[in-house]
PDB file of all heavy atoms in Angstrom:
ATOM      1  N   ALA A 344     -18.681 -59.082 -43.377  1.00 36.00           N
ATOM      2  CA  ALA A 344     -18.268 -57.758 -43.185  1.00 36.00           C
ATOM      3  C   ALA A 344     -17.426 -57.607 -41.946  1.00 36.00           C
ATOM      4  O   ALA A 344     -17.937 -58.053 -40.891  1.00 36.00           O
ATOM      5  CB  ALA A 344     -19.336 -56.778 -43.305  1.00 36.00           C
ATOM      6  N   ALA A 345     -16.296 -57.141 -41.910  1.00 37.00           N
ATOM      7  CA  ALA A 345     -15.427 -56.942 -40.704  1.00 37.00           C
ATOM      8  C   ALA A 345     -14.314 -55.896 -41.008  1.00 37.00           C
ATOM      9  O   ALA A 345     -14.035 -55.675 -42.208  1.00 37.00           O
ATOM     10  CB  ALA A 345     -14.845 -58.161 -40.238  1.00 37.00           C
ATOM     11  N   PRO A 346     -13.812 -55.247 -40.050  1.00 34.00           N
ATOM     12  CA  PRO A 346     -12.763 -54.302 -40.373  1.00 34.00           C
ATOM     13  C   PRO A 346     -11.652 -54.984 -41.107  1.00 34.00           C
ATOM     14  O   PRO A 346     -11.239 -56.113 -40.760  1.00 34.00           O
ATOM     15  CB  PRO A 346     -12.283 -53.753 -39.052  1.00 34.00           C
ATOM     16  CG  PRO A 346     -13.505 -53.974 -38.215  1.00 34.00           C
ATOM     17  CD  PRO A 346     -14.136 -55.213 -38.750  1.00 34.00           C
ATOM     18  N   GLN A 347     -11.113 -54.283 -42.222  1.00 37.00           N
ATOM     19  CA  GLN A 347     -10.096 -54.906 -43.021  1.00 37.00           C
ATOM     20  C   GLN A 347      -8.797 -54.231 -42.860  1.00 37.00           C
ATOM     21  O   GLN A 347      -8.585 -53.058 -42.738  1.00 37.00           O
ATOM     22  CB  GLN A 347     -10.488 -54.644 -44.523  1.00 37.00           C
ATOM     23  CG  GLN A 347      -9.450 -55.144 -45.495  1.00 37.00           C
ATOM     24  CD  GLN A 347      -9.383 -56.692 -45.585  1.00 37.00           C
ATOM     25  OE1 GLN A 347     -10.329 -57.290 -45.041  1.00 37.00           O
ATOM     26  NE2 GLN A 347      -8.384 -57.080 -46.284  1.00 37.00           N
ATOM     27  N   GLU A 348      -7.798 -55.102 -42.544  1.00 36.00           N
ATOM     28  CA  GLU A 348      -6.414 -54.553 -42.340  1.00 36.00           C
ATOM     29  C   GLU A 348      -5.435 -55.330 -43.319  1.00 36.00           C
ATOM     30  O   GLU A 348      -5.840 -56.436 -43.742  1.00 36.00           O
ATOM     31  CB  GLU A 348      -5.919 -54.795 -40.906  1.00 36.00           C
ATOM     32  CG  GLU A 348      -6.605 -53.931 -39.962  1.00 36.00           C
ATOM     33  CD  GLU A 348      -6.014 -53.995 -38.509  1.00 36.00           C
ATOM     34  OE1 GLU A 348      -5.206 -55.042 -38.329  1.00 36.00           O
ATOM     35  OE2 GLU A 348      -6.239 -53.249 -37.637  1.00 36.00           O
ATOM     36  N   GLU A 349      -4.378 -54.816 -43.539  1.00 36.00           N
ATOM     37  CA  GLU A 349      -3.399 -55.396 -44.357  1.00 36.00           C
ATOM     38  C   GLU A 349      -2.924 -56.751 -43.742  1.00 36.00           C
ATOM     39  O   GLU A 349      -2.614 -56.680 -42.540  1.00 36.00           O
ATOM     40  CB  GLU A 349      -2.175 -54.601 -44.657  1.00 36.00           C
ATOM     41  CG  GLU A 349      -2.511 -53.319 -45.547  1.00 36.00           C
ATOM     42  CD  GLU A 349      -2.912 -53.702 -46.988  1.00 36.00           C
ATOM     43  OE1 GLU A 349      -2.349 -54.751 -47.425  1.00 36.00           O
ATOM     44  OE2 GLU A 349      -3.801 -53.069 -47.476  1.00 36.00           O
ATOM     45  N   GLU A 350      -2.878 -57.886 -44.495  1.00 38.00           N
ATOM     46  CA  GLU A 350      -2.479 -59.032 -43.891  1.00 38.00           C
ATOM     47  C   GLU A 350      -1.137 -59.098 -43.229  1.00 38.00           C
ATOM     48  O   GLU A 350      -0.839 -59.729 -42.341  1.00 38.00           O
ATOM     49  CB  GLU A 350      -2.633 -60.242 -44.855  1.00 38.00           C
ATOM     50  CG  GLU A 350      -1.765 -60.009 -46.080  1.00 38.00           C
ATOM     51  CD  GLU A 350      -2.166 -61.021 -47.077  1.00 38.00           C
ATOM     52  OE1 GLU A 350      -3.320 -61.318 -47.286  1.00 38.00           O
ATOM     53  OE2 GLU A 350      -1.180 -61.545 -47.791  1.00 38.00           O
ATOM     54  N   GLU A 351      -0.239 -58.308 -43.685  1.00 35.00           N
ATOM     55  CA  GLU A 351       1.098 -58.226 -43.229  1.00 35.00           C
ATOM     56  C   GLU A 351       1.121 -57.686 -41.880  1.00 35.00           C
ATOM     57  O   GLU A 351       2.029 -57.919 -41.021  1.00 35.00           O
ATOM     58  CB  GLU A 351       2.034 -57.237 -44.063  1.00 35.00           C
ATOM     59  CG  GLU A 351       2.422 -57.754 -45.478  1.00 35.00           C
ATOM     60  CD  GLU A 351       1.238 -57.618 -46.513  1.00 35.00           C
ATOM     61  OE1 GLU A 351       0.283 -56.965 -46.158  1.00 35.00           O
ATOM     62  OE2 GLU A 351       1.422 -58.119 -47.549  1.00 35.00           O
ATOM     63  N   GLY A 352       0.109 -56.920 -41.372  1.00 37.00           N
ATOM     64  CA  GLY A 352       0.084 -56.443 -40.016  1.00 37.00           C
ATOM     65  C   GLY A 352      -0.690 -57.322 -39.089  1.00 37.00           C
ATOM     66  O   GLY A 352      -0.838 -56.884 -37.862  1.00 37.00           O
ATOM     67  N   HIS A 353      -1.202 -58.393 -39.523  1.00 37.00           N
ATOM     68  CA  HIS A 353      -1.986 -59.248 -38.622  1.00 37.00           C
ATOM     69  C   HIS A 353      -1.151 -59.996 -37.567  1.00 37.00           C
ATOM     70  O   HIS A 353      -1.607 -59.978 -36.451  1.00 37.00           O
ATOM     71  CB  HIS A 353      -2.834 -60.240 -39.440  1.00 37.00           C
ATOM     72  CG  HIS A 353      -3.438 -61.252 -38.668  1.00 37.00           C
ATOM     73  ND1 HIS A 353      -4.603 -60.942 -37.844  1.00 37.00           N
ATOM     74  CD2 HIS A 353      -3.198 -62.548 -38.302  1.00 37.00           C
ATOM     75  CE1 HIS A 353      -4.979 -61.965 -37.249  1.00 37.00           C
ATOM     76  NE2 HIS A 353      -4.158 -63.029 -37.437  1.00 37.00           N
ATOM     77  N   ALA A 354      -0.077 -60.548 -37.952  1.00 36.00           N
ATOM     78  CA  ALA A 354       0.619 -61.383 -36.994  1.00 36.00           C
ATOM     79  C   ALA A 354       1.216 -60.445 -35.892  1.00 36.00           C
ATOM     80  O   ALA A 354       1.656 -59.369 -36.200  1.00 36.00           O
ATOM     81  CB  ALA A 354       1.766 -62.096 -37.715  1.00 36.00           C
ATOM     82  N   ALA A 355       1.031 -61.012 -34.695  1.00 34.00           N
ATOM     83  CA  ALA A 355       1.477 -60.198 -33.603  1.00 34.00           C
ATOM     84  C   ALA A 355       3.022 -59.919 -33.642  1.00 34.00           C
ATOM     85  O   ALA A 355       3.449 -58.799 -33.268  1.00 34.00           O
ATOM     86  CB  ALA A 355       1.171 -60.962 -32.206  1.00 34.00           C
ATOM     87  N   ALA A 356       3.786 -60.798 -34.125  1.00 36.00           N
ATOM     88  CA  ALA A 356       5.255 -60.615 -34.217  1.00 36.00           C
ATOM     89  C   ALA A 356       5.649 -60.028 -35.569  1.00 36.00           C
ATOM     90  O   ALA A 356       6.835 -59.952 -35.882  1.00 36.00           O
ATOM     91  CB  ALA A 356       5.963 -61.937 -33.927  1.00 36.00           C
ATOM     92  N   GLY A 357       4.709 -59.515 -36.327  1.00 42.00           N
ATOM     93  CA  GLY A 357       5.069 -59.070 -37.649  1.00 42.00           C
ATOM     94  C   GLY A 357       5.177 -60.195 -38.696  1.00 42.00           C
ATOM     95  O   GLY A 357       5.163 -61.371 -38.466  1.00 42.00           O
ATOM     96  N   GLY A 358       5.182 -59.646 -39.916  1.00 48.00           N
ATOM     97  CA  GLY A 358       5.421 -60.773 -41.000  1.00 48.00           C
ATOM     98  C   GLY A 358       4.060 -61.190 -41.535  1.00 48.00           C
ATOM     99  O   GLY A 358       3.050 -60.712 -41.157  1.00 48.00           O
ATOM    100  N   LYS A 359       4.078 -62.030 -42.524  1.00 52.00           N
ATOM    101  CA  LYS A 359       2.913 -62.449 -43.261  1.00 52.00           C
ATOM    102  C   LYS A 359       1.985 -63.329 -42.358  1.00 52.00           C
ATOM    103  O   LYS A 359       2.345 -63.986 -41.441  1.00 52.00           O
ATOM    104  CB  LYS A 359       3.227 -63.394 -44.440  1.00 52.00           C
ATOM    105  CG  LYS A 359       3.989 -62.614 -45.608  1.00 52.00           C
ATOM    106  CD  LYS A 359       2.888 -61.883 -46.335  1.00 52.00           C
ATOM    107  CE  LYS A 359       3.537 -61.220 -47.592  1.00 52.00           C
ATOM    108  NZ  LYS A 359       2.624 -60.553 -48.489  1.00 52.00           N
ATOM    109  N   ALA A 360       0.611 -63.138 -42.591  1.00 49.00           N
ATOM    110  CA  ALA A 360      -0.299 -64.001 -41.862  1.00 49.00           C
ATOM    111  C   ALA A 360      -0.148 -65.455 -42.319  1.00 49.00           C
ATOM    112  O   ALA A 360       0.167 -65.697 -43.527  1.00 49.00           O
ATOM    113  CB  ALA A 360      -1.713 -63.526 -42.163  1.00 49.00           C
ATOM    114  N   PRO A 361      -0.299 -66.354 -41.330  1.00 58.00           N
ATOM    115  CA  PRO A 361      -0.087 -67.801 -41.721  1.00 58.00           C
ATOM    116  C   PRO A 361      -1.121 -68.228 -42.594  1.00 58.00           C
ATOM    117  O   PRO A 361      -2.244 -67.839 -42.637  1.00 58.00           O
ATOM    118  CB  PRO A 361      -0.043 -68.440 -40.262  1.00 58.00           C
ATOM    119  CG  PRO A 361      -0.898 -67.696 -39.502  1.00 58.00           C
ATOM    120  CD  PRO A 361      -0.616 -66.155 -39.943  1.00 58.00           C
ATOM    121  N   ALA A 362      -0.786 -69.367 -43.308  1.00 72.00           N
ATOM    122  CA  ALA A 362      -1.740 -69.955 -44.163  1.00 72.00           C
ATOM    123  C   ALA A 362      -2.748 -70.874 -43.228  1.00 72.00           C
ATOM    124  O   ALA A 362      -2.333 -71.363 -42.263  1.00 72.00           O
ATOM    125  CB  ALA A 362      -1.052 -70.976 -45.179  1.00 72.00           C
ATOM    126  N   VAL A 363      -3.935 -70.955 -43.635  1.00 72.00           N
ATOM    127  CA  VAL A 363      -4.950 -71.707 -42.944  1.00 72.00           C
ATOM    128  C   VAL A 363      -5.424 -72.848 -43.743  1.00 72.00           C
ATOM    129  O   VAL A 363      -5.726 -72.619 -44.938  1.00 72.00           O
ATOM    130  CB  VAL A 363      -6.083 -70.796 -42.587  1.00 72.00           C
ATOM    131  CG1 VAL A 363      -7.257 -71.581 -41.995  1.00 72.00           C
ATOM    132  CG2 VAL A 363      -5.776 -69.657 -41.610  1.00 72.00           C
ATOM    133  N   GLU A 364      -5.327 -74.004 -43.141  1.00 74.00           N
ATOM    134  CA  GLU A 364      -5.781 -75.158 -43.956  1.00 74.00           C
ATOM    135  C   GLU A 364      -7.237 -75.182 -44.118  1.00 74.00           C
ATOM    136  O   GLU A 364      -8.039 -74.638 -43.287  1.00 74.00           O
ATOM    137  CB  GLU A 364      -5.403 -76.480 -43.216  1.00 74.00           C
ATOM    138  CG  GLU A 364      -3.868 -76.605 -43.096  1.00 74.00           C
ATOM    139  CD  GLU A 364      -3.593 -77.978 -42.435  1.00 74.00           C
ATOM    140  OE1 GLU A 364      -4.502 -78.656 -42.084  1.00 74.00           O
ATOM    141  OE2 GLU A 364      -2.381 -78.321 -42.279  1.00 74.00           O
ATOM    142  N   ALA A 365      -7.739 -75.743 -45.226  1.00 72.00           N
ATOM    143  CA  ALA A 365      -9.179 -75.765 -45.458  1.00 72.00           C
ATOM    144  C   ALA A 365      -9.840 -76.578 -44.333  1.00 72.00           C
ATOM    145  O   ALA A 365      -9.347 -77.564 -43.868  1.00 72.00           O
ATOM    146  CB  ALA A 365      -9.395 -76.535 -46.732  1.00 72.00           C
ATOM    147  N   GLY A 366     -10.913 -76.027 -43.952  1.00 74.00           N
ATOM    148  CA  GLY A 366     -11.654 -76.638 -42.798  1.00 74.00           C
ATOM    149  C   GLY A 366     -11.347 -76.160 -41.475  1.00 74.00           C
ATOM    150  O   GLY A 366     -11.978 -76.622 -40.522  1.00 74.00           O
ATOM    151  N   SER A 367     -10.325 -75.318 -41.342  1.00 82.00           N
ATOM    152  CA  SER A 367      -9.956 -74.888 -39.974  1.00 82.00           C
ATOM    153  C   SER A 367     -10.558 -73.491 -39.642  1.00 82.00           C
ATOM    154  O   SER A 367     -10.101 -72.867 -38.609  1.00 82.00           O
ATOM    155  CB  SER A 367      -8.433 -74.814 -39.902  1.00 82.00           C
ATOM    156  OG  SER A 367      -7.951 -74.008 -40.819  1.00 82.00           O
ATOM    157  N   PHE A 368     -11.493 -73.069 -40.488  1.00 88.00           N
ATOM    158  CA  PHE A 368     -12.196 -71.734 -40.019  1.00 88.00           C
ATOM    159  C   PHE A 368     -12.790 -71.886 -38.661  1.00 88.00           C
ATOM    160  O   PHE A 368     -12.701 -70.892 -37.962  1.00 88.00           O
ATOM    161  CB  PHE A 368     -13.263 -71.488 -41.083  1.00 88.00           C
ATOM    162  CG  PHE A 368     -14.063 -70.357 -40.883  1.00 88.00           C
ATOM    163  CD1 PHE A 368     -13.744 -69.022 -41.112  1.00 88.00           C
ATOM    164  CD2 PHE A 368     -15.415 -70.523 -40.211  1.00 88.00           C
ATOM    165  CE1 PHE A 368     -14.631 -67.938 -40.880  1.00 88.00           C
ATOM    166  CE2 PHE A 368     -16.207 -69.441 -39.953  1.00 88.00           C
ATOM    167  CZ  PHE A 368     -15.889 -68.296 -40.303  1.00 88.00           C
ATOM    168  N   LEU A 369     -13.405 -72.889 -38.392  1.00 87.00           N
ATOM    169  CA  LEU A 369     -13.949 -73.090 -37.006  1.00 87.00           C
ATOM    170  C   LEU A 369     -12.971 -72.948 -35.959  1.00 87.00           C
ATOM    171  O   LEU A 369     -13.245 -72.432 -34.853  1.00 87.00           O
ATOM    172  CB  LEU A 369     -14.666 -74.457 -36.984  1.00 87.00           C
ATOM    173  CG  LEU A 369     -16.061 -74.631 -37.774  1.00 87.00           C
ATOM    174  CD1 LEU A 369     -16.539 -75.968 -37.710  1.00 87.00           C
ATOM    175  CD2 LEU A 369     -17.112 -73.619 -37.045  1.00 87.00           C
ATOM    176  N   GLY A 370     -11.745 -73.556 -36.274  1.00 88.00           N
ATOM    177  CA  GLY A 370     -10.640 -73.446 -35.279  1.00 88.00           C
ATOM    178  C   GLY A 370     -10.345 -71.928 -34.912  1.00 88.00           C
ATOM    179  O   GLY A 370     -10.164 -71.568 -33.725  1.00 88.00           O
ATOM    180  N   LEU A 371     -10.331 -71.159 -35.832  1.00 90.00           N
ATOM    181  CA  LEU A 371     -10.004 -69.713 -35.758  1.00 90.00           C
ATOM    182  C   LEU A 371     -10.974 -69.035 -34.939  1.00 90.00           C
ATOM    183  O   LEU A 371     -10.807 -68.298 -34.053  1.00 90.00           O
ATOM    184  CB  LEU A 371      -9.844 -69.037 -37.121  1.00 90.00           C
ATOM    185  CG  LEU A 371      -8.796 -69.521 -38.084  1.00 90.00           C
ATOM    186  CD1 LEU A 371      -8.993 -68.810 -39.356  1.00 90.00           C
ATOM    187  CD2 LEU A 371      -7.420 -69.179 -37.454  1.00 90.00           C
ATOM    188  N   ILE A 372     -12.403 -69.313 -35.198  1.00 89.00           N
ATOM    189  CA  ILE A 372     -13.493 -68.649 -34.561  1.00 89.00           C
ATOM    190  C   ILE A 372     -13.480 -69.157 -33.069  1.00 89.00           C
ATOM    191  O   ILE A 372     -13.693 -68.330 -32.129  1.00 89.00           O
ATOM    192  CB  ILE A 372     -14.806 -68.922 -35.281  1.00 89.00           C
ATOM    193  CG1 ILE A 372     -14.717 -68.198 -36.597  1.00 89.00           C
ATOM    194  CG2 ILE A 372     -16.003 -68.322 -34.469  1.00 89.00           C
ATOM    195  CD1 ILE A 372     -14.519 -66.689 -36.509  1.00 89.00           C
ATOM    196  N   LEU A 373     -13.378 -70.385 -32.874  1.00 88.00           N
ATOM    197  CA  LEU A 373     -13.501 -71.007 -31.546  1.00 88.00           C
ATOM    198  C   LEU A 373     -12.334 -70.626 -30.703  1.00 88.00           C
ATOM    199  O   LEU A 373     -12.526 -70.494 -29.410  1.00 88.00           O
ATOM    200  CB  LEU A 373     -13.643 -72.519 -31.578  1.00 88.00           C
ATOM    201  CG  LEU A 373     -14.985 -73.006 -32.214  1.00 88.00           C
ATOM    202  CD1 LEU A 373     -14.826 -74.555 -32.496  1.00 88.00           C
ATOM    203  CD2 LEU A 373     -16.114 -72.746 -31.284  1.00 88.00           C
ATOM    204  N   SER A 374     -11.261 -70.319 -31.211  1.00 86.00           N
ATOM    205  CA  SER A 374     -10.075 -69.910 -30.429  1.00 86.00           C
ATOM    206  C   SER A 374      -9.923 -68.387 -30.301  1.00 86.00           C
ATOM    207  O   SER A 374      -9.042 -67.973 -29.443  1.00 86.00           O
ATOM    208  CB  SER A 374      -8.750 -70.482 -31.054  1.00 86.00           C
ATOM    209  OG  SER A 374      -8.555 -69.918 -32.380  1.00 86.00           O
ATOM    210  N   ALA A 375     -10.839 -67.639 -30.818  1.00 86.00           N
ATOM    211  CA  ALA A 375     -10.733 -66.193 -30.711  1.00 86.00           C
ATOM    212  C   ALA A 375     -10.987 -65.679 -29.248  1.00 86.00           C
ATOM    213  O   ALA A 375     -11.805 -66.244 -28.587  1.00 86.00           O
ATOM    214  CB  ALA A 375     -11.866 -65.570 -31.589  1.00 86.00           C
ATOM    215  N   ARG A 376     -10.032 -64.846 -28.814  1.00 85.00           N
ATOM    216  CA  ARG A 376     -10.155 -64.319 -27.357  1.00 85.00           C
ATOM    217  C   ARG A 376     -10.031 -62.810 -27.429  1.00 85.00           C
ATOM    218  O   ARG A 376      -9.108 -62.325 -28.085  1.00 85.00           O
ATOM    219  CB  ARG A 376      -9.021 -64.982 -26.524  1.00 85.00           C
ATOM    220  CG  ARG A 376      -9.242 -66.411 -26.257  1.00 85.00           C
ATOM    221  CD  ARG A 376     -10.367 -66.804 -25.483  1.00 85.00           C
ATOM    222  NE  ARG A 376     -10.552 -68.167 -25.149  1.00 85.00           N
ATOM    223  CZ  ARG A 376     -11.088 -69.015 -25.888  1.00 85.00           C
ATOM    224  NH1 ARG A 376     -11.801 -68.624 -27.013  1.00 85.00           N
ATOM    225  NH2 ARG A 376     -11.257 -70.273 -25.597  1.00 85.00           N
ATOM    226  N   ASP A 377     -10.823 -62.202 -26.605  1.00 79.00           N
ATOM    227  CA  ASP A 377     -10.627 -60.781 -26.360  1.00 79.00           C
ATOM    228  C   ASP A 377      -9.295 -60.459 -25.771  1.00 79.00           C
ATOM    229  O   ASP A 377      -9.043 -61.039 -24.689  1.00 79.00           O
ATOM    230  CB  ASP A 377     -11.817 -60.148 -25.537  1.00 79.00           C
ATOM    231  CG  ASP A 377     -11.773 -58.738 -25.447  1.00 79.00           C
ATOM    232  OD1 ASP A 377     -11.080 -58.156 -24.556  1.00 79.00           O
ATOM    233  OD2 ASP A 377     -12.504 -58.009 -26.320  1.00 79.00           O
TER     234      ASP A 377
END
Side-chain angles (χ1 to χ4, degrees):
Q347 174 75 9
E348 288 185 351
E349 292 298 324
E350 59 192 37
E351 288 80 6
H353 170 74
K359 291 283 187 178
V363 174
E364 293 183 0
S367 57
F368 172 84
L369 285 172
L371 294 174
I372 294 300
L373 290 167
S374 63
R376 293 291 182 272
D377 185 275

